[in-house]
Amino acid sequence: MASYPTGFGLIETTRFDVSSALDSFLDKWRERWPEWAFVERFVDEADRDRSVAWFALLQEFDDMLNASGDTTPQDAKLAWWGEELRSWDAQRSRHPLGRVLEPVRAPWPQLADALPGLIDARDRPADAAQARKALAQYAAAVAAVEAAMFNSKPSPAAAEAVVTQMLALRVQEQAAALPQSFSNEMEWDKALQAGWPSRVAGPRPRRVYAVLARGRQQARIRGGEYQPSPAGLLWRSWWAARG
């Protein structure tokens, strides 16, 4: 038997239910990022399932970061996830995503310790520096896990890449994410784009994922609908994957 969170509680599930729940989490992320189906070929085959599970987990945290109004349910989930991540260090997962991620010997407690910072990071920042600082501890923990998960070297540049991608995607979801020193989202998008290289630091899955996120932001700056050509998407992803 295994259990995973739904609402504020836990429910007992059969092994079949856990498999179905895992698929639902993975499919939810794939639905948000259908481009991944074109570019995942540039990720090592052994890392593909783990990459989707990892990014699906990060999406859950992004959604909690971008919550508005009464955030009590999201705050409770973050607290639950802190306990869950610490249990992964002892290989005692309860969440379906743990079936894929828990076997990785990664600094899960570091990520757990960083989760409460997402609550404070919901506040509207004064400027770009404050926006980045609010997510710095969390991004460093994400980069540390990715380095362990995908056998790469952790670096401050990899953490900066995580922050930039989070900020670019966050402003789409939550208007309060716009720093007070910027007059509109377009100005903020351009500032982020200026410091966002086409090939970021970090392991290959992160570099490929960043290409997709950066492409969406470029479309917003151009003011058009995001409709990437398969050829262009493949070229940019191949180039980023080369490292």
Side-chain angles (χ1 to χ4, degrees), residues 28-47:
K28 183 169 66 172
W29 185 83
R30 289 190 179 102
E31 287 173 4
R32 292 192 181 191
W33 296 93
E35 313 98 295
W36 186 258
F38 289 95
V39 303
E40 69 174 352
R41 69 192 70 186
F42 300 121
V43 173
D44 291 341
E45 186 173 359
D47 290 335

Side-chain angles (χ1 to χ4, degrees), residues 167-181:
L167 291 174
L169 297 175
R170 174 161 159 67
V171 74
Q172 299 178 57
E173 302 290 334
Q174 183 57 257
L178 179 68
Q180 298 174 39
S181 60

Side-chain angles (χ1 to χ4, degrees), residues 74-158:
Q74 288 78 16
D75 295 348
K77 288 180 181 179
L78 278 174
W80 186 92
W81 268 111
E83 297 176 0
E84 175 70 358
L85 291 174
R86 290 185 179 89
S87 76
W88 289 7
D89 201 43
Q91 296 188 306
R92 295 195 303 266
S93 65
R94 293 171 290 174
H95 196 280
L97 289 173
R99 294 182 59 195
V100 182
L101 299 175
E102 177 200 72
V104 178
R105 299 290 79 199
W108 300 117
Q110 181 183 350
L111 181 57
D113 291 342
L115 290 183
L118 296 179
I119 296 175
D120 293 334
R122 292 187 190 125
D123 295 337
R124 188 179 183 186
D127 51 28
Q130 189 178 80
R132 302 189 76 87
K133 182 178 180 181
L135 293 171
Q137 181 187 3
Y138 171 79
V142 168
V145 172
E146 288 185 352
M149 187 175 298
F150 302 117
N151 194 28
S152 66
K153 295 181 179 180
S155 69

